[in-house]
């Protein structure tokens, strides 16, 4: 049987450029799927950002160029490729759109990713294959599924392509005013109904309508987004299309995140040598100006500093939490409100709080490998990876039972589950969970048992990659 080709279309991917969890998934799921099946081959395509050119200039190979039409524009599109960790990556080049310092946050992001999405179809003749399945992620590539359905399914060569759309976070929908349709993406008003929602263009809505299948990054989130609280206005759409929305929990790359080999740690350890982890804690306390004390529980927050991560609860409860014997490390960047608050806490509690405003994978690994607890009180959490990464490093998660956190962290309950869990979005509930965690920490034997248990839990992609493969097969079967 001929090998089936799957093309991942993403705006970010680990080892190239990363601002959040999407890049983790794009960087590890293709490898996992390719690892379990020869019948399917996943490759990845993304924009050629400035940082990628800088990092991989010598490895990138130019494949060819073409002209892409986007409404009235005719735009240069170069295609590059390189192989990394056995995966074939392709890159769409257009200096005007992508040779910039930041990958998002520009006034013309809509146009930039519309160009990227449109160029995918023009790139097939250059990359040398037409995918059987296109698998897109979040609003940046949602237009691919829309173009496929509206424009290209009518074209003989592309008519057979199936499309899968993964929602990593329904909060970011790709919303633009109505002129976007005609002027930027070149879709005329006949199709407006598909991409219009509440008087605006909404790309996530369009992708849900146009895709053959939709996934969310956890089963719980698939259910949550049919309710108004979590759907950010799209609940009517997710309810109508509920049958084609499937939740598959993300995994993590357990080689990339491995305390036994991680070079960022002062000392490596496994579940059997877990006592060594204390040396990392000592090193971290020393380098982060925290009081040297191995008996005091060290809690970390490793997160984008944005509201849906539940940081209001942390800000509100900070004084209350600091009444306990604890130290806190915060690593992340985002809204200046939270950045300022957490920096203020560091000034207010010298030796007890350390705030680092950065997105830094290596530093995050060092922190996972040195702390006792991870706090993740999210208001909404499509999947969440930090709780799984923390567990892999024996760092016990304290989470709100929402989305993927609900699916991956079961309440400790005297040894049953792998973390501390609270339900309501309430500061006092969060603080009670933290106190419960500290209580257990003071019972060294039980705490160690829990650390070992979570380190042994399988958070790899094994199970989820099989589920994706199953979906790919279903899509092909229905061809
Ligand atoms: C988004 C979500 C997060 C998820 C990640 C990867 O960043 O907010 O919950 O883990 O995507 O799917």
């Amino acid at each position: 049987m001929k090998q089936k080709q799957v093309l991942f279309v993403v705006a970010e991917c680990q080892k190239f450029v990363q601002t959040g969890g999407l890049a983790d998934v794009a960087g590890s799921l293709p490898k996992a799927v390719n690892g379990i099946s020869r019948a399917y081959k996943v490759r990845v395509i993304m924009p050629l950002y400035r940082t990628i050119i800088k990092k991989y200039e010598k490895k990138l190979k130019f494949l060819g160029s073409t002209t892409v039409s986007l409404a009235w524009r005719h735009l240069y599109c170069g295609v590059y490729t390189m192989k990394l960790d056995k995966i074939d990556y392709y890159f769409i080049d257009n200096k005007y759109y992508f040779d910039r310092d930041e990958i998002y946050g520009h006034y013309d992001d809509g146009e930039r990713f519309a160009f990227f999405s449109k160029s995918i179809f023009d790139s097939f003749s250059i990359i040398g294959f037409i995918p059987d399945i296109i698998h897109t992620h979040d609003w940046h590539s949602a237009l691919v599924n829309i173009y496929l359905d509206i424009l290209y399914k009518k074209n003989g060569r592309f008519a057979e392509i199936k499309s899968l759309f993964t929602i990593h976070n329904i909060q970011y929908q790709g919303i633009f005013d109505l002129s976007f349709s005609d002027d930027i993406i070149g879709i005329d008003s006949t199709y407006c109904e598909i991409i219009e929602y509440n008087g605006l263009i909404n790309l996530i809505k369009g992708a849900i309508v146009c895709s053959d299948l939709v996934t969310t990054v956890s089963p719980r989130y698939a259910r949550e987004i049919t309710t108004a609280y979590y759907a950010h206005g799209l609940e009517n759409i997710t309810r109508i299309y509920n049958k084609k929305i499937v939740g598959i929990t993300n995994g993590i790359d357990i080689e990339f995140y491995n305390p036994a080999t991680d070079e960022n740690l002062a000392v490596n350890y496994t579940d059997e040598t877990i006592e060594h982890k204390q040396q990392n804690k000592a090193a971290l306390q020393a380098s982060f100006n925290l009081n040297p004390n191995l008996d005091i529980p060290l809690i970390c927050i490793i997160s984008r500093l944005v509201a849906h991560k539940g940081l209001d609860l942390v800000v509100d409860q900070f004084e209350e939490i600091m009444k306990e014997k604890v130290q806190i490390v915060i690593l992340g960047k985002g809204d200046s409100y939270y950045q300022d608050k957490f920096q203020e806490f560091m000034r207010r509690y010298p030796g007890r709080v350390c705030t680092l405003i950065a997105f830094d994978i290596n530093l995050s690994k060092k922190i996972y490998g040195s702390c006792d607890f991870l706090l993740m009180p999210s208001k909404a959490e499509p999947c969440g990876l930090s709780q799984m990464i923390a567990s892999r490093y024996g760092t016990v998660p304290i989470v709100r039972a929402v989305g993927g956190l609900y699916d991956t962290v079961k309440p400790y309950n005297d040894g049953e589950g792998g973390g501390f869990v609270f339900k309501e979005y309430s500061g006092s509930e969060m603080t009670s969970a933290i106190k419960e965690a500290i209580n257990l920490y003071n019972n060294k034997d039980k705490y160690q048992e829990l650390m070992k248990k979570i380190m042994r839990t399988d958070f790899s992609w094994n199970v989820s990659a099989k589920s994706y493969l199953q979906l790919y097969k279903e899509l092909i079967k229905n061809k």
Side-chain angles (χ1 to χ4, degrees), residues 20-22 25 168-169 217 250 304 308-309 381-385:
L22 166 61
V25 175
H168 294 261
N169 194 334
V217 286
N250 288 331
R304 264 186 303 134
H308 81 85
K309 295 291 177 182
E381 197 58 76
C383 177
L385 303 172

Side-chain angles (χ1 to χ4, degrees), residues 289-300:
N289 288 329
L290 296 168
N291 300 332
N293 183 343
L294 292 180
D295 292 325
I296 200 164
L298 178 54
I299 303 176
C300 63

Side-chain angles (χ1 to χ4, degrees), residues 377-419:
S378 304
K379 195 184 245 172
E381 197 58 76
C383 177
L385 303 172
S386 303
Q387 77 280 13
M388 296 189 267
I389 302 168
S391 302
R392 174 99 175 116
Y393 285 80
T395 299
V396 178
I398 304 169
V399 304
R400 178 165 171 249
V402 63
L405 296 172
Y406 173 93
D407 286 324
T408 55
V409 183
K410 298 293 169 222
Y412 173 63
N413 209 6
D414 209 18
E416 263 175 42

Side-chain angles (χ1 to χ4, degrees), residues 252-264:
I252 56 166
D253 183 334
I254 58 169
E255 285 164 34
F256 186 71
Y257 295 111
N258 184 359
T261 54
D262 193 331
E263 288 169 2
N264 298 289

Side-chain angles (χ1 to χ4, degrees), residues 163-336:
S163 76
L164 176 63
F165 178 61
T166 296
I167 301 172
H168 294 261
N169 194 334
I170 204 163
Q171 188 179 346
Y172 308 108
Q173 296 175 1
I175 295 176
F176 303 95
D177 63 39
L178 287 180
S179 65
F180 188 74
S181 153
D182 235 10
D183 182 45
I184 307 285
I185 57 182
I187 288 180
D188 70 50
S189 51
T190 358
Y191 298 107
C192 231
E193 205 185 303
I194 294 176
I195 49 174
E196 189 190 325
Y197 192 59
N198 288 341
L200 293 164
I201 299 299
N202 186 314
L203 298 184
I204 292 255
K205 183 245 176 173
I208 295 174
V209 175
C210 292
S211 302
D212 293 306
L213 272 177
V214 176
T215 65
T216 62
V217 286
S218 69
R220 181 78 173 185
Y221 193 60
R223 264 180 287 152
E224 286 173 348
I225 60 166
T226 59
T227 66
Y229 185 83
Y230 292 102
H232 291 272
L234 279 183
E235 61 275 12
N236 293 330
I237 301 301
T238 47
R239 277 184 207 145
I240 296 172
Y241 292 94
N242 197 240
K243 287 224 167 61
K244 64 170 164 179
I245 305 181
V246 185
I248 299 177
T249 311
N250 288 331
I252 56 166
D253 183 334
I254 58 169
E255 285 164 34
F256 186 71
Y257 295 111
N258 184 359
T261 54
D262 193 331
E263 288 169 2
N264 298 289
L265 307 185
V267 178
N268 291 114
Y269 59 93
T270 66
D271 55 332
E272 278 163 14
T273 57
I274 194 124
E275 50 306 336
H276 295 341
K277 192 178 170 189
Q278 288 285 65
Q279 296 175 46
N280 292 326
K281 182 168 170 179
L284 195 85
Q285 285 174 331
S287 62
F288 286 6
N289 288 329
L290 296 168
N291 300 332
N293 183 343
L294 292 180
D295 292 325
I296 200 164
L298 178 54
I299 303 176
C300 63
I301 296 172
I302 299 176
S303 174
R304 264 186 303 134
L305 303 183
V306 292
H308 81 85
K309 295 291 177 182
L311 301 169
D312 288 333
L313 300 187
V314 182
V315 170
D316 285 350
Q317 293 285 303
F318 211 82
E319 273 178 37
E320 197 57 35
I321 301 169
M322 294 313 287
K323 286 185 188 153
E324 301 291 316
K325 263 182 70 184
V326 287
Q327 292 180 348
I328 300 191
V329 173
I330 298 139
L331 172 68
K333 72 176 190 187
D335 295 352
S336 54

